[in-house]
Amino acid sequence: RRMPLSEEKNGACDGSIYVNNPHLDSMKDDILYHFNLGTSTHDLPAMFGDVKFVCVGGSPWRMRSFTEYIAKELGLSEPNAEFPNICEGTDRYAMYKVGPVLSVSHGMGIPSISIMLHELIKLLYHAHCTDVTVMRIGTSGGIGLKPGTVVVTKQSVDSVFQPRFEQIILGKPVVRSTELDAELAEELLQCGKDLAEFETVIGNTMCTLDFYEGQARLDGAFCSYSEEDKQSYLAEAYAAGVRNIEMESSVFAAMCKLSNLRAAVVCVTLLDRLKGDQMTSSHDILHNYQQRPQVLVGHYIKKKLNAYKKS
Amino acid sequence: RRMPLSEEKNGACDGSIYVNNPHLDSMKDDILYHFNLGTSTHDLPAMFGDVKFVCVGGSPWRMRSFTEYIAKELGLSEPNAEFPNICEGTDRYAMYKVGPVLSVSHGMGIPSISIMLHELIKLLYHAHCTDVTVMRIGTSGGIGLKPGTVVVTKQSVDSVFQPRFEQIILGKPVVRSTELDAELAEELLQCGKDLAEFETVIGNTMCTLDFYEGQARLDGAFCSYSEEDKQSYLAEAYAAGVRNIEMESSVFAAMCKLSNLRAAVVCVTLLDRLKGDQMTSSHDILHNYQQRPQVLVGHYIKKKLNAYKKS
């Protein structure tokens, strides 16, 4: 089952999870430090071998609520069942599982999700998982969209609207593709149409290194540009097909592609950045918006599992 | 009290907190979204006006434990007192306060601490705080140091060992200095000598964008370099004065400098990266190491407050 893979290569078609690291096989033990799990302390194939869908999102509370939701949708839990946090020994990430669905929080920003994905990919590899689909369900700022619109990412682009992620290795930049699964994105868009509960669109997603200056916000502790500069930057982004802005999609796309994981990014827009920078909607409205990616992805998983049962 | 500041400039000597953003004064209300606080919903001067020390660290659990520790050290709490999480309405960050000491978690990586610092700087500004010292207490990987050694950062350097932080604004890089307060670093080193409980050194800290490939680890999901490549990169870092590696110090130093905040970075080393990559020490030993920056910074705060009382 273990494959020696010494060079960067992208997805083959046999459904296996790749770790692109020849050193791993010579390690007696692998400690997944930020999950508080390890190959010598946990039976990872028994715990995770049946995982087919992994949903990730920034907030630990949201990932717990997603697990409760999906358990109900799939008819896999008693009412009011409690789901233990599999990473309860650490406060870095939270992880929940119900049936074939694993749910993991990743914090905010590229470095935080990158640590989680390194350990998640190794976990899926050690657990001998196959045919896994990974979906990020998150929040974002929209550009020219009605708040509450769900954006399924076509391409994740950087601050100059290019579909690439730059990884620094030994002090030197290595550029990686941020291509996502186009078929999966179309299937998710179709789920949005099936549901007809909220607007769902496909568009490019800009992934930035921070929330304030990197997203041209005027309300941070520092701001050296004008409202006009902001509007002109967001207009350029819109012209490049960008419909929303968040902080994790580029490294998520790059790492999933390197690991042969089918991947999608599904984010709701909490506001229209052309009209403002602050999150002024009520708590209830924002809470409702945040459930939309969960509902969309939940519908997709249910549809897939039903199709699988029938086949 | 409010100062219009339209250009990037660094610390003056009057002790005020700077926000370098001319737009803020025209906002009726300022929502500190990721803290779940705001100027129209909370009386920030009453809640935070007396803050003189802010301690920040990645883990919310560690920041709560620091607050319990410092309360006891300063004689500011009943035994077994509970400290409410001031940001309890959100799971993005946790915040605790006892007397003049505020304690805030920041998650992992530059983007995560950057969001927190934008909102912290605005919070201190709205609360009219003066003469504030901010200290990051964290964990790190050491280079050529005995595990458990505490490193007070002299300079925070990037992956090619330069003391700079690159901020992307409107798609273009802006380079900022990562200079920290040299006098404060010396005072903290002296506190280490006063305590004589563990080794404390001053050295450069390399701040990376990820934990695995960016730090030349051999145990991530991907690794395209050899053990020799790793050792030679770490040797270069050591020759440039780098004694530890973490993921937040550069933007922390840059933002504090822009805001006129005295700042220091105090991190314990959990392992010696020349000897390995995995955190193999026992839970108890790692837990003991993690308390050392708290003890050092606690001693410093106590010393300062005692000196203030006497003067």
Side-chain angles (χ1 to χ4, degrees):
Chain A
R1 157 147 304 285
R2 282 167 180 259
M3 285 154 287
L5 286 165
S6 55
E7 290 170 77
E8 288 209 357
K9 61 179 186 179
N10 292 321
C13 298
D14 72 345
S16 300
I17 312 302
Y18 290 138
V19 295
N20 292 265
N21 182 354
H23 304 284
L24 275 191
D25 285 341
S26 60
M27 286 166 54
K28 262 181 276 179
D29 181 20
D30 188 9
I31 300 172
L32 308 175
Y33 179 69
H34 301 86
F35 286 162
N36 200 32
L37 297 172
T39 52
S40 75
T41 47
H42 298 81
D43 183 348
L44 300 179
M47 290 171 75
F48 301 106
D50 63 339
V51 168
K52 295 295 175 195
F53 301 95
V54 184
C55 296
V56 304
S59 147
W61 293 357
R62 207 192 314 129
M63 298 326 290
R64 188 182 53 203
S65 111
F66 174 73
T67 297
E68 288 160 3
Y69 173 77
I70 197 76
K72 208 161 65 181
E73 280 294 297
L74 300 181
L76 287 174
S77 78
E78 303 297 307
N80 304 316
E82 296 266 328
F83 298 95
N85 176 4
I86 298 168
C87 299
E88 65 174 350
T90 174
D91 61 350
R92 299 303 191 170
Y93 303 109
M95 183 188 285
Y96 304 92
K97 182 177 181 298
V98 58
V101 185
L102 189 68
S103 172
V104 196
S105 72
H106 56 60
M108 289 186 287
I110 288 172
S112 188
I113 193 174
S114 150
I115 297 174
M116 191 283 282
L117 288 173
H118 269 282
E119 299 186 11
L120 174 67
I121 292 163
K122 291 199 294 175
L123 181 154
L124 297 172
Y125 172 73
H126 291 310
H128 312 314
C129 295
T130 53
D131 299 307
V132 174
T133 300
V134 187
M135 291 173 280
R136 162 161 151 69
I137 49 177
T139 57
S140 63
I143 306 184
L145 297 177
K146 204 175 83 176
T149 303
V150 172
V151 179
V152 179
T153 302
K154 187 175 176 188
Q155 286 193 311
S156 172
V157 301
D158 65 12
S159 65
V160 290
F161 323 127
Q162 297 302 307
R164 66 187 175 197
F165 173 68
E166 202 178 88
Q167 170 69 48
I168 304 288
I169 302 180
L170 307 177
K172 294 182 194 70
V174 172
V175 173
R176 289 176 174 166
S177 159
T178 56
E179 200 186 315
L180 290 158
D181 192 301
E183 192 184 301
L184 177 58
E186 287 297 334
E187 289 180 276
L188 287 162
L189 183 67
Q190 184 55 47
C191 288
K193 289 179 189 161
D194 297 349
L195 286 164
E197 291 176 21
F198 41 79
E199 282 186 62
T200 305
V201 301
I202 283 193
N204 291 343
T205 298
M206 180 160 74
C207 183
T208 67
L209 299 168
D210 80 326
F211 185 80
Y212 288 96
E213 293 172 287
Q215 298 188 11
R217 275 192 160 79
L218 302 171
D219 64 341
F222 317 124
C223 182
S224 54
Y225 39 88
S226 66
E227 166 81 35
E228 290 67 39
D229 297 334
K230 168 196 156 174
Q231 291 295 344
S232 116
Y233 183 63
L234 294 183
E236 270 184 78
Y238 191 89
V242 174
R243 293 296 174 270
N244 66 338
I245 312 176
E246 46 77 92
M247 298 176 62
E248 294 88 12
S249 58
S250 64
V251 75
F252 171 83
M255 290 180 71
C256 289
K257 189 172 164 64
L258 275 178
S259 310
N260 197 32
L261 288 159
R262 263 163 67 95
V265 177
V266 180
C267 291
V268 70
T269 60
L270 297 181
L271 78 171
D272 182 356
R273 289 295 317 290
L274 299 180
K275 297 187 179 153
D277 296 328
Q278 293 236 313
M279 241 71 85
T280 49
S281 295
S282 74
H283 180 87
D284 285 351
I285 286 176
L286 290 174
H287 182 74
N288 174 281
Y289 289 168
Q290 289 181 28
Q291 292 180 316
R292 293 179 177 183
Q294 303 187 22
V295 171
L296 185 64
V297 161
H299 184 78
Y300 171 80
I301 292 173
K302 208 166 142 180
K303 205 165 151 179
K304 279 283 158 183
L305 288 175
N306 285 339
Y308 180 75
K309 271 185 220 156
K310 277 176 203 156
S311 70
Chain B
R1 156 148 304 282
R2 282 165 179 261
M3 285 153 290
L5 286 165
S6 55
E7 290 171 78
E8 290 209 355
K9 60 179 186 179
N10 292 321
C13 298
D14 71 345
S16 300
I17 312 303
Y18 289 137
V19 295
N20 293 266
N21 182 353
H23 304 283
L24 276 191
D25 285 342
S26 61
M27 287 165 54
K28 261 181 276 180
D29 181 20
D30 188 10
I31 299 172
L32 307 174
Y33 178 69
H34 301 85
F35 286 161
N36 201 32
L37 297 172
T39 52
S40 74
T41 47
H42 297 80
D43 184 347
L44 300 179
M47 290 172 75
F48 300 106
D50 62 340
V51 168
K52 295 295 176 195
F53 301 95
V54 184
C55 296
V56 303
S59 146
W61 293 356
R62 207 193 314 130
M63 299 325 291
R64 188 183 54 203
S65 111
F66 174 73
T67 297
E68 288 161 3
Y69 173 77
I70 197 76
K72 209 161 63 179
E73 280 294 296
L74 302 180
L76 287 174
S77 77
E78 304 296 309
N80 303 316
E82 296 265 329
F83 298 95
N85 176 4
I86 298 167
C87 299
E88 66 174 351
T90 174
D91 62 351
R92 299 302 191 170
Y93 303 109
M95 183 187 286
Y96 304 92
K97 183 176 180 297
V98 56
V101 185
L102 190 68
S103 172
V104 196
S105 72
H106 57 59
M108 288 187 287
I110 288 172
S112 187
I113 193 174
S114 151
I115 298 174
M116 190 283 282
L117 288 173
H118 270 282
E119 299 186 11
L120 174 67
I121 292 162
K122 292 199 293 175
L123 180 155
L124 297 172
Y125 172 74
H126 291 310
H128 312 314
C129 295
T130 54
D131 299 306
V132 174
T133 300
V134 188
M135 289 172 282
R136 161 160 151 72
I137 50 177
T139 58
S140 63
I143 306 184
L145 298 176
K146 206 175 81 178
T149 303
V150 172
V151 180
V152 179
T153 302
K154 187 174 173 185
Q155 285 194 311
S156 172
V157 301
D158 65 12
S159 66
V160 289
F161 324 127
Q162 297 302 307
R164 65 189 175 197
F165 173 68
E166 203 178 88
Q167 171 70 48
I168 305 287
I169 302 180
L170 307 176
K172 294 181 194 71
V174 172
V175 173
R176 288 175 175 166
S177 160
T178 56
E179 201 186 314
L180 289 158
D181 191 302
E183 192 185 300
L184 176 57
E186 288 297 334
E187 289 181 274
L188 286 161
L189 183 67
Q190 184 56 48
C191 288
K193 289 179 188 162
D194 296 351
L195 286 164
E197 291 176 21
F198 42 79
E199 281 186 61
T200 305
V201 301
I202 283 193
N204 290 343
T205 297
M206 181 161 74
C207 182
T208 67
L209 298 168
D210 79 326
F211 185 81
Y212 289 97
E213 293 173 286
Q215 298 189 10
R217 274 190 161 80
L218 302 171
D219 64 340
F222 317 126
C223 182
S224 54
Y225 41 88
S226 66
E227 166 81 34
E228 291 66 39
D229 297 334
K230 167 196 157 176
Q231 290 295 344
S232 116
Y233 183 63
L234 295 184
E236 270 184 76
Y238 190 88
V242 173
R243 293 295 174 271
N244 66 338
I245 311 175
E246 45 78 93
M247 299 176 59
E248 294 86 14
S249 59
S250 64
V251 74
F252 171 83
M255 291 180 71
C256 289
K257 189 171 164 64
L258 276 178
S259 310
N260 197 33
L261 288 159
R262 265 163 64 96
V265 177
V266 180
C267 291
V268 71
T269 60
L270 297 182
L271 78 170
D272 182 357
R273 290 295 317 289
L274 299 181
K275 296 187 180 153
D277 295 328
Q278 293 237 313
M279 242 69 86
T280 48
S281 296
S282 73
H283 180 86
D284 285 352
I285 287 177
L286 291 175
H287 183 72
N288 173 282
Y289 289 169
Q290 289 181 27
Q291 292 179 316
R292 294 179 176 183
Q294 303 188 22
V295 171
L296 186 66
V297 161
H299 184 78
Y300 170 80
I301 293 173
K302 208 166 144 179
K303 205 165 152 180
K304 280 283 157 183
L305 289 175
N306 284 340
Y308 181 76
K309 271 184 219 155
K310 279 177 200 154
S311 71

